[in-house]
Amino acid sequence: MIAFLLKRTANAAFVMLAVALLAFVIFRFFGDPVEMMVNEQATQQDRIELRERLGLNDGFVTQYTRFVTNAVQGDFGISYRNQQDVMVLIKERFPATFELVLVATVISLVVGIPAGVITAVYRDSRLANMLQLGSIVGVSLPSFVVGILLILAFSVSLGWLPAFGRGETVDIGWWSTGLLTPSGRAALVLPAISLSTFQVTLVMRLVRAEMLETLRADYIKFARARGVPTARVQWRHALRNCLMPVITLTGMQIGNLIAFALVTETVFQWPGMGMLFIQAVTFVDLPVMAAYLLIVSFIFVALNTLVDITYAWVDPRLRDDSARGNG
């Protein structure tokens, strides 16, 4: 098991070094950092001194090593546009994105799991057919279209929910949350539904496929033969054995939701990391772009590594295969 952990950790470190190289190339070679940081009144001597202070005259390997070392310590430099520490900007925006992803994940599980069970157990009923049709629509529609339709229906036409912004927030240390205020919770509803639409259909389809297979298992037939109530067989015995792949998929999809929340955040003007990244691209704010790339990649790599380790812990055959060079 220790060899497996070391191998997976080494793989994750190698991937992060490759991503760091890509981020460094973006930071160093797409535009001149000195020209982006100085103002129009700066002299040539000022530019030379700033270039020397930033270490831009050093060799490629030296600059890359310094970039990785600073990134490990959370130092991504100064934002060209905001003239603030990039990590401070990330800390300000991350709670908004995390809460949005958290609520979207809860919605996907609360709606997707019962819908998947219903479409498997009552697969010829009208309700199941409607849910299947809804899943096709949910998979087909882009998230920004869903967001615009939600704004049109619930904000413009009905006036029930706000169309943009995060509402009032409460600071708990460096963490700001909108979950503790009515306006914050109201502002969260439409973005979370928009972000969770695809995830709901994904969970529903996965649960349906797993349930159809599980309901044909011998132990389910035996439970029915013993007179166990049908609802208990379906919702307790069968569903429980279907949840492992759902939990795995949900954990791995959290990284996707954080990465692709930028579309939802743009539609709803949600002040999260995705919105910060869009603004950074608009103003060619390279330190913020590089930091966003590294942080989102780290979340992806960490979640996938955690899932691999969990699988190996649950099924020892996987780490045996890895030890033989097949993993």
Side-chain angles (χ1 to χ4, degrees):
M1 186 65 182
I2 294 177
F4 178 84
L5 290 176
L6 291 175
K7 185 176 181 180
R8 283 293 181 268
T9 304
N11 289 341
F14 178 77
V15 172
M16 285 308 303
L17 286 175
V19 175
L21 178 61
L22 176 62
F24 172 72
V25 169
I26 294 174
F27 177 77
R28 179 64 185 85
F29 295 105
F30 287 7
D32 188 350
V34 174
E35 295 299 328
M36 295 181 182
M37 294 179 71
V38 298
N39 54 40
E40 296 179 353
Q41 288 74 33
T43 63
Q44 185 62 27
Q45 184 61 32
D46 294 334
R47 289 180 169 82
I48 293 174
E49 291 177 355
L50 180 58
R51 185 177 297 278
E52 185 66 28
R53 192 163 67 248
L54 293 175
L56 299 179
N57 294 326
D58 296 335
F60 180 87
V61 175
T62 303
Q63 291 188 50
Y64 174 65
T65 304
R66 184 166 55 239
F67 178 80
V68 173
T69 304
N70 291 338
V72 170
Q73 297 172 354
D75 182 5
F76 295 99
I78 303 297
S79 166
Y80 296 159
R81 174 173 177 260
N82 299 286
Q83 293 298 309
Q84 285 183 282
D85 190 284
V86 173
M87 203 58 197
V88 173
L89 292 173
I90 296 289
K91 283 183 178 179
E92 289 176 354
R93 302 298 188 96
F94 183 75
T97 298
F98 181 80
E99 288 186 355
L100 177 61
V101 170
L102 178 65
V103 175
T105 302
V106 171
I107 291 174
S108 68
L109 293 176
V110 171
V111 177
I113 291 177
V117 174
I118 291 172
T119 54
V121 174
Y122 309 105
R123 55 181 179 274
D124 295 326
S125 66
R126 182 175 298 178
L127 177 59
N129 291 332
M130 291 176 61
L131 290 172
Q132 287 279 70
L133 178 63
S135 72
I136 295 175
V137 174
V139 169
S140 304
L141 285 178
S143 60
F144 72 90
V145 174
V146 176
I148 292 172
L149 292 176
L150 289 173
I151 291 174
L152 183 63
F154 295 99
S155 298
V156 178
S157 300
L158 299 175
W160 290 352
L161 295 167
F164 60 87
R166 199 185 174 196
E168 186 180 356
T169 59
V170 174
D171 293 333
I172 303 176
W174 65 271
W175 190 274
S176 65
T177 177
L179 297 175
L180 300 179
T181 63
S183 64
R185 290 192 292 270
L188 189 57
V189 174
L190 294 185
I193 293 175
S194 175
L195 185 61
S196 67
T197 303
F198 181 80
Q199 189 76 2
V200 168
T201 59
L202 202 62
V203 171
M204 190 191 93
R205 288 170 174 241
L206 179 60
V207 171
R208 181 178 187 274
E210 292 289 330
M211 281 291 290
L212 289 175
E213 184 175 347
T214 304
L215 289 174
R216 290 194 290 267
D218 290 339
Y219 76 92
I220 295 295
K221 296 176 182 176
F222 182 71
R224 285 172 170 163
R226 291 194 60 187
V228 177
T230 302
R232 184 174 180 181
V233 171
Q234 295 168 347
W235 291 92
R236 183 172 179 179
H237 297 291
L239 179 60
R240 180 178 294 179
N241 288 283
C242 298
L243 291 182
M244 180 58 80
V246 175
I247 294 171
T248 303
L249 175 73
T250 302
M252 297 182 70
Q253 284 294 317
I254 289 177
N256 283 335
L257 290 177
I258 291 176
F260 298 109
L262 59 90
V263 177
T264 302
E265 292 183 2
T266 302
V267 171
F268 290 93
Q269 294 296 295
W270 187 260
M273 286 178 57
M275 193 70 183
L276 179 66
F277 178 72
I278 293 295
Q279 293 170 348
V281 171
T282 303
F283 294 95
V284 200
D285 198 346
L286 297 179
V288 176
M289 294 167 60
Y292 180 86
L293 177 62
L294 279 175
I295 291 173
V296 171
S297 300
F298 175 76
I299 293 172
F300 266 104
V301 171
L303 288 175
N304 279 281
T305 304
L306 185 61
V307 169
D308 285 346
I309 293 173
T310 305
Y311 275 160
W313 178 68
V314 173
D315 188 352
R317 292 173 298 179
L318 293 177
R319 56 177 185 256
D320 294 339
D321 289 343
S322 178
R324 289 194 295 269
N326 298 326

